[in-house]
Amino acid sequence: MTELILSLDVLDRKEAVKVAESCAPFIDAIKIGYPLVLSSGLSIVEDLADLALPLIADFKVADIPNTNRLICEAVFSAGFDAVIAHGFVGADAARTCVEVAHRHSGAAYIVAEMSHPGATEFFHGGVAENLAELAVSCRADGIIAPATRPDRISRLREIVGSKAIYSPGVGAQGGDLDTVARLVDGVIVGRSIYEAENPGAEAERFSRIRR
Ligand code: BMP
């Protein structure tokens, strides 16, 4: 089964909870990043707790090991189940995120390659491959890879093997759901769902990948 992960980049707290509640039966996890946390505070985690869905903190943590540790401790203390971190800061810093996550019985995912057009300026030429290797060596639970470039997902799969690949970029960014769903463990979808007139119905439509 391929998981469907809702990217809840909704700024209004009440609206975010409403969207999450309507989508809950059709999704496997909720990804929350700076847009929602900066507008609503970390306590948004408590508002979503009743849904009993894993909450992924997409803070793309990218600092020195000690600061990464402080950030990740705050993330898991707030009630998140997983964190997304950058790997380009080096194995020591990325490993710190993984260690904190595992100490809290959570998960850590490393960004291997991003989905936007500008990502090719820096992530290509072997960089994404190196980041995927780093994710493996740091014992991360998986990587983030671009739904906008299925060929790159396949290449990165060769490196990470059975580790999870979660992939944003379907819908609003142009990635094709069915193509990507066959290659990854989870598809991350934001605007196509939460900007729809009926987010729950749209999530249900996307949830065909879970079958
Ligand atoms: P949308 O489906 O609206 O494009 O949202 C995708 C989500 O995934 C956004 O939260 C974005 O920040 C995130 N994301 C991405 O789009 N590409 C990446 O390479 C990594 C991401 O975390």
Side-chain angles (χ1 to χ4, degrees), residues 7 9 31 58 60 113-115 144 168 170 172-173 188-191 194:
S7 184
D9 299 319
K31 181 178 84 62
D58 180 10
K60 298 196 180 68
E113 178 170 326
M114 296 188 73
S115 58
I144 305 298
V170 156
Q173 297 180 51
I188 298 170
V189 185
R191 285 165 287 179
Y194 67 73

Side-chain angles (χ1 to χ4, degrees), residues 118-205:
T120 58
E121 293 164 22
F122 290 104
F123 284 97
H124 283 186
V127 173
E129 283 83 346
N130 288 346
L131 291 168
E133 279 165 17
L134 177 145
V136 173
S137 72
C138 290
R139 300 180 186 278
D141 299 273
I143 60 165
I144 305 298
T148 48
R149 290 180 220 99
D151 57 318
R152 297 293 300 152
I153 296 175
S154 300
R155 170 69 190 115
L156 296 170
R157 173 63 80 194
E158 290 170 13
I159 296 168
V160 302
S162 61
K163 280 196 189 291
I165 300 184
Y166 289 125
S167 191
V170 156
Q173 297 180 51
D176 177 65
L177 179 69
D178 295 314
T179 307
V180 174
R182 281 194 289 274
L183 303 172
V184 302
D185 299 271
V187 173
I188 298 170
V189 185
R191 285 165 287 179
S192 297
I193 292 177
Y194 67 73
E195 286 182 353
E197 204 161 315
N198 184 340
E202 201 57 17
E204 182 171 21
R205 205 177 64 76

